[in-house]
PDB file of all heavy atoms in Angstrom:
ATOM      1  N   ALA A  96     103.745  97.815  89.939  1.00  0.00           N
ATOM      2  CA  ALA A  96     104.680  98.353  90.926  1.00  0.00           C
ATOM      3  C   ALA A  96     105.728  99.205  90.232  1.00  0.00           C
ATOM      4  O   ALA A  96     106.065  98.978  89.065  1.00  0.00           O
ATOM      5  CB  ALA A  96     105.363  97.213  91.688  1.00  0.00           C
ATOM      6  N   GLY A  97     106.257 100.171  90.932  1.00  0.00           N
ATOM      7  CA  GLY A  97     107.374 100.956  90.414  1.00  0.00           C
ATOM      8  C   GLY A  97     108.682 100.308  90.830  1.00  0.00           C
ATOM      9  O   GLY A  97     108.738  99.104  91.097  1.00  0.00           O
ATOM     10  N   GLY A  98     109.733 101.089  90.902  1.00  0.00           N
ATOM     11  CA  GLY A  98     110.995 100.556  91.391  1.00  0.00           C
ATOM     12  C   GLY A  98     110.956 100.404  92.904  1.00  0.00           C
ATOM     13  O   GLY A  98     110.068 100.915  93.574  1.00  0.00           O
ATOM     14  N   TRP A  99     111.925  99.663  93.446  1.00  0.00           N
ATOM     15  CA  TRP A  99     111.962  99.461  94.894  1.00  0.00           C
ATOM     16  C   TRP A  99     113.384  99.192  95.330  1.00  0.00           C
ATOM     17  O   TRP A  99     113.999  98.252  94.800  1.00  0.00           O
ATOM     18  CB  TRP A  99     111.092  98.281  95.275  1.00  0.00           C
ATOM     19  CG  TRP A  99     110.648  98.323  96.712  1.00  0.00           C
ATOM     20  CD1 TRP A  99     111.442  98.237  97.819  1.00  0.00           C
ATOM     21  CD2 TRP A  99     109.310  98.459  97.189  1.00  0.00           C
ATOM     22  NE1 TRP A  99     110.692  98.308  98.944  1.00  0.00           N
ATOM     23  CE2 TRP A  99     109.372  98.447  98.600  1.00  0.00           C
ATOM     24  CE3 TRP A  99     108.077  98.587  96.566  1.00  0.00           C
ATOM     25  CZ2 TRP A  99     108.240  98.557  99.395  1.00  0.00           C
ATOM     26  CZ3 TRP A  99     106.963  98.701  97.360  1.00  0.00           C
ATOM     27  CH2 TRP A  99     107.037  98.685  98.765  1.00  0.00           C
ATOM     28  N   PRO A 100     113.923  99.986  96.272  1.00  0.00           N
ATOM     29  CA  PRO A 100     113.340 101.174  96.881  1.00  0.00           C
ATOM     30  C   PRO A 100     113.260 102.341  95.887  1.00  0.00           C
ATOM     31  O   PRO A 100     113.944 102.337  94.863  1.00  0.00           O
ATOM     32  CB  PRO A 100     114.308 101.492  98.027  1.00  0.00           C
ATOM     33  CG  PRO A 100     115.605 100.956  97.561  1.00  0.00           C
ATOM     34  CD  PRO A 100     115.281  99.721  96.765  1.00  0.00           C
ATOM     35  N   GLU A 101     112.434 103.322  96.209  1.00  0.00           N
ATOM     36  CA  GLU A 101     112.198 104.438  95.290  1.00  0.00           C
ATOM     37  C   GLU A 101     111.919 105.699  96.106  1.00  0.00           C
ATOM     38  O   GLU A 101     110.872 105.813  96.739  1.00  0.00           O
ATOM     39  CB  GLU A 101     111.014 104.109  94.383  1.00  0.00           C
ATOM     40  CG  GLU A 101     110.913 104.975  93.155  1.00  0.00           C
ATOM     41  CD  GLU A 101     109.981 104.343  92.138  1.00  0.00           C
ATOM     42  OE1 GLU A 101     108.916 103.827  92.532  1.00  0.00           O
ATOM     43  OE2 GLU A 101     110.306 104.361  90.944  1.00  0.00           O
ATOM     44  N   ALA A 102     112.872 106.616  96.110  1.00  0.00           N
ATOM     45  CA  ALA A 102     112.762 107.826  96.926  1.00  0.00           C
ATOM     46  C   ALA A 102     111.801 108.822  96.298  1.00  0.00           C
ATOM     47  O   ALA A 102     111.858 109.066  95.087  1.00  0.00           O
ATOM     48  CB  ALA A 102     114.128 108.476  97.105  1.00  0.00           C
ATOM     49  N   PRO A 103     110.919 109.425  97.080  1.00  0.00           N
ATOM     50  CA  PRO A 103     109.973 110.407  96.524  1.00  0.00           C
ATOM     51  C   PRO A 103     110.673 111.656  95.984  1.00  0.00           C
ATOM     52  O   PRO A 103     110.116 112.336  95.111  1.00  0.00           O
ATOM     53  CB  PRO A 103     109.067 110.749  97.708  1.00  0.00           C
ATOM     54  CG  PRO A 103     109.839 110.379  98.922  1.00  0.00           C
ATOM     55  CD  PRO A 103     110.684 109.210  98.525  1.00  0.00           C
ATOM     56  N   THR A 104     111.879 111.950  96.469  1.00  0.00           N
ATOM     57  CA  THR A 104     112.582 113.163  96.000  1.00  0.00           C
ATOM     58  C   THR A 104     113.134 113.016  94.597  1.00  0.00           C
ATOM     59  O   THR A 104     113.413 114.021  93.930  1.00  0.00           O
ATOM     60  CB  THR A 104     113.743 113.501  96.949  1.00  0.00           C
ATOM     61  OG1 THR A 104     114.604 112.356  97.074  1.00  0.00           O
ATOM     62  CG2 THR A 104     113.227 113.911  98.312  1.00  0.00           C
TER      63      THR A 104
END
Side-chain angles (χ1 to χ4, degrees):
W99 202 295
E101 197 164 42
T104 55

